[in-house]
């Protein structure tokens, strides 16, 4: 009789706000091969970052989500750069625990909400933010953060919309992350600097673990 493999344990997240509280930085990751995904995720976890956004920007993205979701205990796996309703279904089937979109056109937003998964939908203007708020979302992605007005813009948003919280992503660096996190309406930031392309290609997991530890320390 073939023994069954128990599913790996995952932190429970049931709403968008839970995602923002997992870590000060959500690594936004592109992998070129599925084989890179599991050791990369484990390095982030050892460094104190229990969340990862694996994007669909490469052919390996969907397989990487499935691999990390099934093999890395303690890691919350999100699917990023989800841009079609069909991709919503695919990432849900692969085991993604939350969805991240760069924008929120009606069909995509409808499919993502219908999935039942927590959603960080992208918004770059106040109108887009209010549209998402009307749909019941109080936590969202501010994207592209630097190009959409940066910290001054997002700080101004807190006046008319104090209930909204954000994960700014796009142009945020190791050097500027702390300044973004100091804004009262920012719960976390998204960034790619935790997983440099050369470190991933070389399998330099110790370097990624060290960058993760540095990022984890941004929240006392």
């Amino acid at each position: 009789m073939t023994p069954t493999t128990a599913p790996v344990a995952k932190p429970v997240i049931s709403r968008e706000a839970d995602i923002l509280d997992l870590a000060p930085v959500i690594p936004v990751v592109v992998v070129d091969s599925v084989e890179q995904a599991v050791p990369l995720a484990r390095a982030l976890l050892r460094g104190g970052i229990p969340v990862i956004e694996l994007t669909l920007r490469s052919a390996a993205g969907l397989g990487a989500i499935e691999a990390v979701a099934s093999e890395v205990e303690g890691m919350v796996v999100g699917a990023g750069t989800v841009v079609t309703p069909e991709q919503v279904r695919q990432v849900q089937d692969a085991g993604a625990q939350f969805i991240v979109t760069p924008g929120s056109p009606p069909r995509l937003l409808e499919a993502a909400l219908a999935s039942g998964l927590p959603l960080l939908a992208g918004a770059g203007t106040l109108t887009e933010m209010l549209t998402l708020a009307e749909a019941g979302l109080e936590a969202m992605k501010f994207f592209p953060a630097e190009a959409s007005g940066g910290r001054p813009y997002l700080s101004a948003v807190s006046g008319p919309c104090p209930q909204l919280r954000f994960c700014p992503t796009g142009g945020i660096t190791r050097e500027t992350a702390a300044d973004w996190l100091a804004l009262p309406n920012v719960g976390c930031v998204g960034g790619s600097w935790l997983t440099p392309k050369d470190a991933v290609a070389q399998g330099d997991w110790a370097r990624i673990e060290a960058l993760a530890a540095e990022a984890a320390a941004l929240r006392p």
Side-chain angles (χ1 to χ4, degrees), residues 112-176:
L113 291 173
S115 75
L117 293 176
L119 168 67
L120 289 182
T125 68
L126 193 53
T127 296
E128 292 170 345
M129 294 169 188
L130 290 173
T131 299
L132 292 175
E134 282 186 350
L137 300 175
E138 291 192 349
M140 58 197 70
K141 171 179 175 176
F142 177 48
F143 179 82
E146 287 290 355
S148 296
R151 296 190 300 278
Y153 186 94
L154 200 57
S155 178
V157 165
S158 66
C161 302
Q163 80 280 16
L164 299 183
R165 295 179 71 213
F166 296 91
C167 174
T169 306
I172 297 171
T173 67
R174 182 179 180 183
E175 291 74 28
T176 63

Side-chain angles (χ1 to χ4, degrees), residues 38-161:
V38 167
L40 185 155
R42 287 177 174 155
L44 291 170
L45 201 54
R46 289 194 301 271
I49 299 292
V51 58
I52 186 171
E53 178 189 332
L54 286 160
T55 73
L56 301 185
R57 297 180 192 178
S58 75
L62 201 59
I65 291 167
E66 186 171 8
V68 175
S70 62
E71 296 181 42
V72 185
E73 184 172 353
M75 177 61 79
V76 175
V77 186
T81 322
V82 175
V83 296
T84 69
E86 293 73 24
Q87 287 178 336
V88 170
R89 177 185 55 78
Q90 290 171 345
V91 301
Q92 186 170 28
D93 290 346
Q97 292 168 271
F98 66 93
I99 293 171
V100 186
T101 68
S104 50
R107 285 183 63 243
L108 176 59
L109 180 60
E110 181 181 4
L113 291 173
S115 75
L117 293 176
L119 168 67
L120 289 182
T125 68
L126 193 53
T127 296
E128 292 170 345
M129 294 169 188
L130 290 173
T131 299
L132 292 175
E134 282 186 350
L137 300 175
E138 291 192 349
M140 58 197 70
K141 171 179 175 176
F142 177 48
F143 179 82
E146 287 290 355
S148 296
R151 296 190 300 278
Y153 186 94
L154 200 57
S155 178
V157 165
S158 66
C161 302

Side-chain angles (χ1 to χ4, degrees), residues 19-40:
I19 304 167
L20 272 58
D21 294 332
L22 289 168
V25 182
I26 296 179
V28 180
V29 180
V30 181
V31 293
D32 294 323
S33 73
V34 173
E35 290 72 24
Q36 295 169 334
V38 167
L40 185 155

